[in-house]
Amino acid sequence: MSSTVISRTRFSVLDRSRTRQGRPAAEALRDTVALAREAEALGYHRFWVSEHHGVPGVAGSAPTVLAAAVAAATRTIRVGTGGVMLPNHRPLVVAEQFGVLEALFPGRIDMGLGRSVGFTDGVRKALGRDKEDAEDFAAQLGELLGWFTGGSPTGVRARPSEGLTVPPFVLALGEGARIAARAGLPMVIGDLRDREKMLRGIDRYRSLFRPSRWATEPYVVISGTVAVAGTEAEARRLLVPEAWSLAYSRTHGTFPPLAPAESVRTHAMTARERDLYESALAGHIAGTPDQVAHELETVLKETGAEEVLVTTSTYDRTALLDSCRRLAALFAPGR
């Protein structure tokens, strides 16, 4: 297979505004806006931001607010959320927020929607939610889309949302693939480390898909970490801070800011921490440009995906930007 499969695939970025050890949260948000400008210049298709609450390692708690800042700082790249966690909000308020975004930045706004609730009991209590609220996602999704089409039974109208078209996407975890298919919406599915589970979700989505006013045929976005560097070792170094954060969260119950790769490598780990850390390093698409191109061709052939949403986070922002540039050289050479 030639690299034409890569050149005809859309590539986009999801930045989670990861905080860095010893640095203020405000810097992480400014870094997100700066990265969006670079992604636009490099030819990425979309730039999305995320929603997390009460997480020390993530500054992005208000994705529609951050999306507004990103859209204001860019001109052409599509901007959206990956995603707004719908069980945390009233659908009318979400519709209004995206309506304002679309009114201010017409034709550039995406509405990525997820069904997760807070990570901990404390966060869920603060949000006034519990785990069961995620079970109502399909109904919440239907209500949200109805505000754009004027379908509310209450007599209230969502302004300025009604009549606007903001493309919705469903972040598929577990039941998400079925919900996305039956609603006739594009689906975002991760992660690249569990290919068999990803492929099962994609097959389920395509087999159950029902055309809708939002999408006439299935549209699959695969998401995960892609790290490109001059050597395999440098690419692996990019993965180290996030891998340690994941291992730490599994053993300490809180997701921490990113630490420099060098300090992680010299850190004394328990046997369980070491196992989790090594597991978190495995399975990503990482390496030299040739290695990454080969792996991307393979996964794109396996999945038939229309788009790749790159979710890479690391402490070294210079190395992260270099990775984005090297990846862009694969899908948009000569840009």
Side-chain angles (χ1 to χ4, degrees):
M1 176 183 285
S2 73
S3 61
T4 54
V5 69
I6 295 175
S7 63
R8 67 170 177 255
T9 301
R10 289 169 166 169
F11 281 79
S12 300
V13 174
L14 167 63
D15 190 73
R16 287 177 294 141
S17 304
R18 291 286 275 114
T19 57
R20 293 187 288 167
Q21 201 174 83
R23 305 290 188 97
E27 183 180 72
L29 297 172
R30 289 192 292 268
D31 285 343
T32 291
V33 176
L35 183 61
R37 288 196 191 100
E38 293 288 350
E40 178 175 77
L42 291 168
Y44 285 86
H45 184 62
R46 322 177 195 275
F47 191 94
W48 282 5
V49 295
S50 65
E51 175 182 338
H52 294 82
H53 300 284
V55 180
V58 181
S61 56
T64 53
V65 177
L66 185 53
V70 168
T74 53
R75 294 185 305 105
T76 57
I77 195 168
R78 296 196 64 85
V79 177
T81 56
V84 163
M85 296 302 147
L86 199 49
N88 293 340
H89 311 281
R90 293 302 308 166
L92 170 61
V93 175
V94 176
E96 290 171 338
Q97 290 173 346
F98 280 98
V100 169
L101 285 169
E102 176 62 23
L104 289 171
F105 308 102
R108 291 180 56 206
I109 302 300
D110 299 323
M111 186 166 58
L113 304 162
R115 62 193 293 267
S116 298
V117 289
F119 290 141
T120 66
D121 289 338
V123 170
R124 288 189 289 271
K125 184 176 181 181
L127 290 169
R129 299 291 185 266
D130 56 44
K131 289 182 179 179
E132 286 68 39
D133 286 312
E135 304 307 314
D136 297 327
F137 179 72
Q140 294 162 346
L141 181 63
E143 181 184 340
L144 171 61
L145 298 180
W147 289 113
F148 287 92
T149 59
S152 171
T154 65
V156 175
R157 293 182 178 274
R159 305 189 190 280
S161 316
E162 188 174 316
L164 298 180
T165 299
V166 182
F169 295 73
V170 171
L171 277 61
L173 295 170
E175 280 293 283
R178 180 185 61 81
I179 293 169
R182 292 185 173 172
L185 301 181
M187 177 184 72
V188 182
I189 188 166
D191 66 36
L192 293 168
R193 295 191 301 157
D194 192 341
R195 300 288 171 83
E196 289 188 12
K197 183 178 180 181
M198 176 185 278
L199 290 170
R200 286 196 303 271
I202 291 171
D203 288 346
R204 186 183 311 121
Y205 168 70
R206 289 199 174 111
S207 66
L208 296 174
F209 185 85
R210 300 172 180 172
S212 72
R213 70 185 299 273
W214 305 99
T216 57
E217 56 190 26
Y219 188 92
V220 174
V221 184
I222 56 174
S223 69
T225 294
V226 182
V228 196
T231 67
E232 194 171 353
E234 289 171 352
R236 184 177 172 87
R237 177 178 170 273
L238 280 164
L239 307 177
V240 165
E242 187 77 358
W244 171 242
S245 287
L246 287 167
Y248 187 94
S249 70
R250 295 283 300 278
T251 51
H252 293 77
T254 185
F255 198 69
L258 295 169
E262 291 69 25
S263 70
V264 172
R265 285 171 165 165
T266 58
H267 185 77
M269 300 184 194
T270 66
R272 174 160 170 73
E273 286 173 341
R274 176 66 62 181
D275 286 346
L276 290 167
Y277 169 69
E278 293 293 345
S279 175
L281 281 174
H284 303 289
I285 296 180
T288 65
D290 285 347
Q291 290 171 322
V292 167
H294 175 75
E295 189 66 25
L296 281 173
E297 287 172 0
T298 300
V299 73
L300 289 170
K301 182 179 180 180
E302 288 174 350
T303 62
E306 283 78 19
E307 188 169 340
V308 177
L309 183 66
V310 179
T311 63
T312 311
S313 297
T314 195
Y315 183 91
D316 186 339
R317 300 293 297 190
T318 301
L320 178 63
L321 180 54
D322 182 65
S323 177
C324 290
R325 287 174 176 150
R326 290 175 184 270
L327 178 59
L330 296 179
F331 69 78
R335 184 181 173 89

